[in-house]
Amino acid sequence: MTWEEAVEYALGLPDTELSTSYGQPAVKVASNGRAFLFPGRESDTAFGVALDLDGIEVLKETEPETYFQTPHYEGWPAVLVRYAAADEERVREVITRSRDWSAARPKAEPRKRK
């Protein structure tokens, strides 16, 4: 699945919009402003999704060839998804789960500039 295909799928989910996060394109939950799909720091090989920490650990343990974290993401609610993932239907399920998890979170607070 390419970044463009992931974005197209994510935008087909309810209450989503194309936006930005940290200056990069991202798909957010429109009603609370939470980004759930983003290119990540490894944008040549993977994109990122927001997910609960327990769910991330399960994905990394059961499907390490698809889901992983670099030191930058460890301890944060985000997991990377390799573009070369063999099971695109499973990736779509994870994107949907990410949207649902992000939609259930409170509205994002704007960051204060220093």
Side-chain angles (χ1 to χ4, degrees):
M1 177 176 285
T2 66
W3 167 249
E4 291 78 15
E5 290 168 333
V7 168
E8 181 180 352
Y9 176 77
L11 289 173
L13 298 172
D15 190 30
T16 60
E17 64 183 1
L18 186 60
S19 186
T20 60
S21 180
Y22 297 103
Q24 298 294 318
V27 180
K28 292 183 176 182
V29 175
S31 59
N32 70 6
R34 295 278 182 181
F36 69 93
L37 181 81
F38 47 90
R41 296 177 69 129
E42 292 69 29
S43 60
D44 292 340
T45 59
F47 61 88
V49 295
L51 209 55
D52 65 285
L53 295 176
D54 290 338
I56 289 169
E57 289 307 312
V58 170
L59 289 173
K60 289 182 352 183
E61 288 175 19
T62 60
E63 299 176 69
E65 66 285 349
T66 299
Y67 305 99
F68 69 104
Q69 286 181 312
T70 60
H72 177 78
Y73 294 100
E74 288 176 6
W76 292 94
V79 68
L80 297 168
V81 183
R82 286 184 174 80
Y83 289 132
D87 189 348
E88 287 189 23
E89 184 58 35
R90 175 74 171 128
V91 172
R92 285 190 283 278
E93 289 172 11
V94 170
I95 293 171
T96 300
R97 193 166 130 205
S98 174
R99 195 227 60 100
D100 293 348
W101 181 77
S102 297
R105 298 183 70 205
K107 186 173 182 167
E109 294 295 325
R111 294 189 182 263
K112 293 184 173 128
R113 296 186 186 253
K114 293 183 179 181

